[in-house]
Amino acid sequence: MDKRDYRKQVQENLKRMTYQTYRERSLNLARQLLQEPSIKNASTIAITLSNQPEVETTFIIEQFWLLNKKVVVPKCNPADRSMQFYKIDSFAETERAYKNILEPIPELTQLVDKEEIDVIVVPGVVFDRQGYRIGFGGGYYDRFLVGYNGKRISLAFEEQLLNEVPRESHDLPVHILLTDKERIICA
């Protein structure tokens, strides 16, 4: 199977989850993430504004704000497939944009340099135990992570975990993968 096949199969499996189960499992993963030492010690954390069936991030972002963390979220530029992160202090500073994803409104938010980000919560569809991932197909994170020296953490439901995913020479693994059943130290 290629990346598209894995992506499609896992997304179909996730869509079978009831909303109640999805919500409970997302909250469990949020609690785990909040206990991570790198999260506790971070000042600036990058995270996406998720869409179901991705692990729900709204609660996580709200908790980061309560902990006085600087929350930065990505804005995609489809023209060159690049991505930049902007600090948000409220969900009112976001709008539906690229692929109907909530993104920051640049005029209402502050651009943050890659070097300022302590931890990036890297999204994905499929993961393996070595920390490699299959994303949503745009390559935005793959490009952004080049030269990034902070911590990379991913959250995944158990259904998203495979023994091995196809990888390419430019793929970078995450350091820690949290699933609803285990904490996997990867890279």
Side-chain angles (χ1 to χ4, degrees), residues 67-83:
L67 295 168
N68 294 315
K69 306 289 185 187
K70 183 192 284 188
V71 175
V72 298
V73 296
K75 174 86 178 151
C76 295
N77 180 359
D80 64 1
R81 291 187 166 211
S82 67
M83 182 171 69

Side-chain angles (χ1 to χ4, degrees), residues 56-95:
E56 171 61 50
T57 60
T58 304
F59 174 77
I60 295 168
I61 292 169
E62 290 169 342
Q63 294 305 302
F64 287 164
W65 285 331
L66 290 172
L67 295 168
N68 294 315
K69 306 289 185 187
K70 183 192 284 188
V71 175
V72 298
V73 296
K75 174 86 178 151
C76 295
N77 180 359
D80 64 1
R81 291 187 166 211
S82 67
M83 182 171 69
Q84 294 179 305
F85 283 85
Y86 291 81
K87 178 182 182 278
I88 62 167
D89 297 307
S90 159
F91 293 117
E93 297 172 344
T94 65
E95 64 185 349

Side-chain angles (χ1 to χ4, degrees), residues 23-154:
R23 185 88 175 125
E24 287 171 8
R25 291 173 74 187
S26 288
L27 287 172
N28 180 40
L29 279 162
R31 288 184 200 101
Q32 287 183 61
L33 180 65
L34 292 167
Q35 296 306 309
E36 278 297 313
S38 57
I39 293 293
K40 288 181 176 183
N41 296 326
S43 296
T44 303
I45 303 170
I47 189 168
T48 57
L49 294 153
S50 62
N51 281 326
Q52 192 174 355
E54 295 174 82
V55 173
E56 171 61 50
T57 60
T58 304
F59 174 77
I60 295 168
I61 292 169
E62 290 169 342
Q63 294 305 302
F64 287 164
W65 285 331
L66 290 172
L67 295 168
N68 294 315
K69 306 289 185 187
K70 183 192 284 188
V71 175
V72 298
V73 296
K75 174 86 178 151
C76 295
N77 180 359
D80 64 1
R81 291 187 166 211
S82 67
M83 182 171 69
Q84 294 179 305
F85 283 85
Y86 291 81
K87 178 182 182 278
I88 62 167
D89 297 307
S90 159
F91 293 117
E93 297 172 344
T94 65
E95 64 185 349
R96 294 261 171 218
Y98 177 73
K99 291 195 173 185
N100 203 32
I101 297 168
L102 277 174
E103 292 188 344
I105 302 169
E107 299 78 29
L108 301 179
T109 55
Q110 172 191 350
L111 181 64
V112 174
D113 290 332
K114 182 188 295 192
E115 298 77 27
E116 293 179 53
I117 301 171
D118 301 309
V119 178
I120 296 181
V121 180
V122 182
V125 180
V126 187
F127 299 90
D128 67 21
R129 295 181 168 283
Q130 293 74 45
Y132 289 94
R133 54 182 268 289
I134 298 173
F136 292 88
Y140 288 87
Y141 274 85
D142 293 326
R143 279 184 279 287
F144 187 85
L145 291 173
V146 172
Y148 173 71
N149 295 316
K151 258 309 187 209
R152 300 182 302 268
I153 299 176
S154 286

Side-chain angles (χ1 to χ4, degrees), residues 161-176:
L161 184 60
L162 300 177
N163 286 330
E164 190 173 0
V165 298
R167 56 181 85 140
E168 298 172 37
S169 59
H170 64 268
D171 290 338
L172 294 170
V174 296
H175 298 109
I176 297 171

